């Protein structure tokens, strides 16, 4: 990587700003991508593939016990640089499975006696 090319997270921030994402979304996406890179031994996303992308949300669910919506947020953040920064469109990218939220059955109160 040449010294004139911005770092991945800087490119990510620039891409998010160019698409008018909110500042809070920028912060969140940057943190998720950073966690993803650190989880995979600081490897560049260009060197990683479908397996690493699928392992990370599983790690979040099992080790961190996060909800399905949090896993989906992390997946959106991780997939964003592949599409918009690295401009990669490998066939496996469309095959990545997202978590489905759990269905909660509403609590219904019994009528008064």
């Amino acid at each position: 990587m040449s010294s004139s090319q911005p770092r991945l997270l800087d490119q990510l921030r620039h891409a998010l700003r160019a698409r008018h994402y909110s500042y809070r979304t920028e912060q969140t996406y940057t943190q998720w991508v950073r966690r993803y890179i650190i989880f995979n031994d600081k490897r560049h996303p260009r060197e990683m593939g479908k397996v690493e992308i699928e392992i990370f949300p599983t790690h979040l669910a099992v080790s961190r016990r996060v909800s399905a919506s949090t896993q989906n947020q992390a997946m959106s953040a991780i997939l964003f640089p592949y599409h918009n920064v690295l401009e990669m469109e490998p066939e496996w990218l469309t095959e990545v499975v997202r978590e489905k939220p759990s269905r909660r059955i509403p609590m219904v109160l019994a009528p008064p006696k």
Side-chain angles (χ1 to χ4, degrees), residues 7-55:
R7 296 175 57 189
L8 177 67
L9 294 180
D10 293 333
Q11 291 175 336
L12 174 65
R13 287 184 194 98
H14 179 73
L16 288 164
R17 289 175 188 170
R19 287 165 181 78
H20 303 288
Y21 279 67
S22 73
Y23 179 65
R24 186 67 184 124
T25 302
E26 177 186 326
Q27 290 177 319
T28 303
Y29 273 33
T30 304
Q31 283 299 314
W32 279 122
V33 171
R34 189 174 157 275
R35 290 176 188 163
Y36 170 66
I37 291 170
I38 291 171
F39 176 77
N40 288 294
D41 300 322
K42 297 184 180 180
R43 290 172 42 212
H44 195 280
R46 191 177 312 254
E47 301 170 4
M48 295 185 266
K50 182 180 178 183
V51 174
E52 289 86 358
I53 289 177
E54 289 177 343
I55 289 174

Side-chain angles (χ1 to χ4, degrees), residues 84-103:
N84 301 299
V85 176
L86 302 173
E87 297 176 350
M88 293 174 63
E89 292 294 332
E91 65 281 347
W92 55 261
L93 212 48
T94 58
E95 298 170 2
V96 174
V97 179
R98 295 191 179 246
E99 289 297 316
K100 293 182 179 147
S102 61
R103 270 191 91 169

Side-chain angles (χ1 to χ4, degrees), residues 1 4 8 12 15 18 36 43 45 52-54 60 62 64 68 72-75 87 90 95 99 104 107 109 113:
M1 183 161 140
S4 64
L8 177 67
L12 174 65
Y36 170 66
R43 290 172 42 212
E52 289 86 358
I53 289 177
E54 289 177 343
L60 292 175
V62 174
R64 298 287 188 186
N72 285 331
Q73 181 186 56
M75 287 299 296
E87 297 176 350
E95 298 170 2
E99 289 297 316
R104 290 188 174 220
M107 176 69 85
L109 299 175
K113 293 184 179 182

